[in-house]
């Protein structure tokens, strides 16, 4: 997840710490996902794994997804709260509405990705589910970061 240090560093210290901590936790969850599936970087199926490794991958996925969705939801809430704490920003402020809509779209997309991932897992295509989930999630976060988080962070100092 790309974070532009120059933009983030202009936030109030408490806001900066919160955003940085949550971005680091999100990045950590992506790293954990990457490390969980030994077939994430190749096109191998779970048949190349031991039954213990396969069971571990399948078992970790639901708790990983639960933790991720909770963190993303909390992070979006914090971003929106920081935006609304600015004197010129209200819920009717166009940039806030667009940013919030992007958050809502990401949450909907996350739910869709989760459904797709679990469908693949039910077909015992767990490695494919992990690859799909990791790629789509990484793309979502990077796109949001590029389009909204950097301009949002700049707007808090305007």
């Amino acid at each position: 997840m790309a974070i532009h240090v120059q933009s983030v560093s202009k936030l109030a210290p408490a806001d900066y710490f919160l955003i940085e901590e949550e971005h680091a936790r999100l990045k950590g969850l992506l790293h954990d996902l990457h490390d969980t599936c030994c077939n994430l970087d190749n096109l191998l199926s779970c048949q190349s794994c031991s039954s213990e490794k396969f069971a571990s991958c399948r078992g970790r996925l639901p708790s990983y997804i639960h933790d991720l969705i909770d963190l993303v939801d909390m992070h979006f809430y914090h971003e929106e709260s920081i935006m609304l704490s600015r004197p010129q920003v209200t819920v009717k402020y166009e940039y806030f509405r667009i940013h919030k809509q992007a958050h809502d779209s990401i949450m909907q997309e996350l739910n869709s990705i989760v459904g797709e991932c679990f469908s693949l897992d039910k077909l015992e295509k767990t490695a494919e589910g992990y690859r799909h989930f990791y790629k789509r999630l990484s793309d979502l976060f990077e796109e949001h970061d590029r389009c909204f988080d950097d301009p949002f962070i700049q707007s808090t100092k305007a």
Side-chain angles (χ1 to χ4, degrees), residues 3 5 7-25 71 74-75 78 82 153:
I3 304 212
V5 175
S7 298
V8 175
S9 66
K10 293 181 182 180
L11 284 171
D15 294 340
Y16 170 81
F17 178 75
L18 180 63
I19 296 296
E20 278 293 287
E21 179 184 40
E22 289 174 349
H23 281 172
R25 287 178 62 202
L71 179 57
M74 179 178 61
H75 178 63
H78 288 148
I82 292 168
I153 290 166

Side-chain angles (χ1 to χ4, degrees), residues 51-62:
S51 59
E52 293 83 10
K53 177 66 176 159
F54 178 64
S56 175
C57 284
R58 289 189 85 187
R60 290 181 72 186
L61 192 58

